[in-house]
Amino acid sequence: MNNDKEIIFFLDHQFFQIDDSMIWQPISIDTFESKNNDVNIYIDSSHFSLIPDEIFDQLSKDQKEIFLTSNPKDFYFFNTPVPQLSGKLFWCEKNIIIESINAKIPGCNLNHFISPMITKKLSQNQLKYFLNKDFIYIVCIKEKKIKIANRFIIKNIDDALYFILSLIKESDLINSNFNFECHGENNGGIIKKLKTIFPNHQFNIHPQSDLKSIFN
């Protein structure tokens, strides 16, 4: 991350930009006005995959694109190196959204929302999540290796808890001493349930208002 660049998030089809009071404010894509083109945009998109370099290099452009969507002509495609995985974060977003963002902030640098969660220095054993009312991102790390990184649509907190517990099992963290990094909505119910299930684990709970905490 270039610390000289402004950071703006694009979630729920709106921009989130920090104001003079250091509060992240939602701004409609229709009313947003850019004061700075030197910007890193982090976009929430459900269309992404982590692909090892040896597989990524063997797949054709069409093969990679059809893997993410059945309508590749309607999307822009991007890839981000993930050194910790020796692979790529391959993702896409609809043309209309990318073009709308570029029209508002010409020359901005486009990134996937999950990118900071998987490209920063990894802990030994860790589960990171970012909770939104409609979706949850979950990243599982074991022995400093990314085991799983995914996004799930949720209807309620029980859905979020189900996906967290399922991925703990799938990533083989279940019998490990790992810590939780909790970002996004600070739902007391899910934290309470997780602490009941994992009473001896460390929970680092970041303020809901601090979207930039995903870079930690």
Side-chain angles (χ1 to χ4, degrees):
M1 180 184 65
N2 186 337
N3 292 326
D4 295 328
K5 290 182 180 288
E6 181 184 3
I7 290 173
I8 296 177
F9 296 96
F10 189 76
L11 306 168
D12 299 325
H13 300 286
Q14 56 190 340
F15 293 103
F16 283 79
Q17 186 177 35
I18 200 163
D19 64 14
D20 293 337
S21 302
M22 305 304 291
I23 297 174
W24 292 93
Q25 299 288 357
I27 306 171
S28 165
I29 193 169
D30 296 322
T31 60
F32 180 85
E33 294 183 3
S34 174
K35 298 178 182 178
N36 177 16
N37 290 338
D38 196 15
V39 173
N40 278 324
I41 300 280
Y42 290 86
I43 303 171
D44 166 46
S45 170
S46 60
H47 303 278
F48 71 95
S49 182
L50 294 176
I51 306 177
D53 284 331
E54 61 269 23
I55 296 176
F56 189 89
D57 294 340
Q58 291 177 4
L59 296 175
S60 69
K61 176 177 177 291
D62 290 343
Q63 286 175 319
K64 289 191 285 266
E65 292 180 356
I66 205 70
F67 183 70
L68 292 187
T69 174
S70 59
N71 299 300
K73 63 182 178 57
D74 296 331
F75 289 78
Y76 278 94
F77 292 83
F78 307 87
N79 69 81
T80 303
V82 184
Q84 296 88 335
L85 188 66
S86 297
K88 300 287 192 301
L89 169 61
F90 187 58
W91 64 282
C92 64
E93 185 51 275
K94 290 182 178 178
N95 295 338
I96 189 171
I97 292 178
I98 297 300
E99 290 165 3
S100 296
I101 292 173
N102 280 328
K104 292 291 184 177
I105 316 175
C108 65
N109 184 32
L110 301 171
N111 306 273
H112 194 281
F113 184 79
I114 203 172
S115 179
M117 300 177 72
I118 60 176
T119 57
K120 306 304 288 182
K121 184 178 179 180
L122 303 180
S123 297
Q124 181 70 17
N125 297 310
Q126 187 177 67
L127 183 141
K128 305 179 184 180
Y129 73 74
F130 179 90
L131 179 65
N132 179 278
K133 60 182 177 60
D134 298 318
F135 61 83
I136 185 171
Y137 281 93
I138 304 174
V139 177
C140 296
I141 299 161
K142 184 175 183 183
E143 296 175 356
K144 295 187 177 182
K145 294 181 180 178
I146 301 168
K147 305 295 287 186
I148 296 173
N150 214 334
R151 178 189 186 276
F152 302 94
I153 299 295
I154 60 173
K155 294 181 179 179
N156 50 49
I157 293 305
D158 286 338
D159 285 350
L161 182 64
Y162 168 79
F163 288 122
I164 289 173
L165 295 178
S166 296
L167 266 61
I168 288 172
K169 181 178 180 180
E170 186 177 342
S171 61
D172 198 28
L173 280 173
I174 190 69
N175 294 316
S176 303
N177 181 18
F178 66 95
N179 68 291
F180 289 87
E181 290 285 337
C182 311
H183 306 271
E185 293 192 11
N186 289 158
N187 185 285
I190 194 170
I191 297 294
K192 183 177 180 181
K193 288 180 180 179
L194 287 171
K195 285 186 174 181
T196 299
I197 300 169
F198 302 98
N200 299 318
H201 290 57
Q202 179 181 344
F203 286 78
N204 298 319
I205 304 170
H206 301 274
Q208 180 174 341
S209 59
D210 185 10
L211 291 176
K212 199 175 175 182
S213 68
I214 63 170
F215 288 89
N216 294 348

